[in-house]
């Protein structure tokens, strides 16, 4: 059983359960950031606030920049 764990560690670079749980939580957190950014951008017209568009676009940029890194964790 110990050799199986060592082989998996060498194969994936880390233990599979750690990689999968970290990846899932990171992607879910990134989705929350993107949802908040979309809400800011969407409600900016109703609030008549140009600053909300800027905040939304800034958060969308952060979310879009982090997504490729999280999808490569596997």
């Amino acid at each position: 059983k110990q050799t199986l764990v060592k082989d998996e560690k060498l194969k994936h670079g880390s233990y599979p359960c750690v990689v999968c749980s970290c990846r899932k939580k990171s992607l879910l957190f990134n989705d929350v950031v993107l949802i908040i950014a979309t809400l800011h951008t969407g409600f900016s017209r109703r609030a008549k606030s140009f600053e909300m568009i800027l905040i939304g676009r800034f958060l969308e940029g952060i979310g879009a920049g982090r997504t490729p890194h999280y999808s490569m964790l596997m």
Side-chain angles (χ1 to χ4, degrees):
K1 200 171 187 180
Q2 290 218 348
T3 58
L4 187 70
V5 171
K6 287 182 182 177
D7 290 340
E8 287 181 13
K9 184 176 181 181
L10 291 174
K11 183 179 177 184
H12 295 291
S14 183
Y15 294 109
C17 61
V18 173
V19 170
C20 290
S21 67
C22 178
R23 180 178 179 220
K24 183 177 180 180
K25 289 178 185 176
S26 299
L27 285 171
L28 286 174
F29 177 73
N30 196 37
D31 289 341
V32 169
V33 171
L34 289 174
I35 289 171
I36 291 171
T38 305
L39 290 174
H40 268 86
T41 306
F43 286 120
S44 65
R45 182 173 290 184
R46 180 174 286 189
K48 295 181 180 160
S49 173
F50 181 71
E51 291 82 9
M52 287 180 70
I53 294 175
L54 295 177
I55 292 170
R57 293 292 299 210
F58 179 74
L59 290 174
E60 286 174 3
I62 290 174
R66 291 171 31 176
T67 300
H69 301 293
Y70 293 147
S71 61
M72 291 181 163
L73 283 176
M74 189 80 172

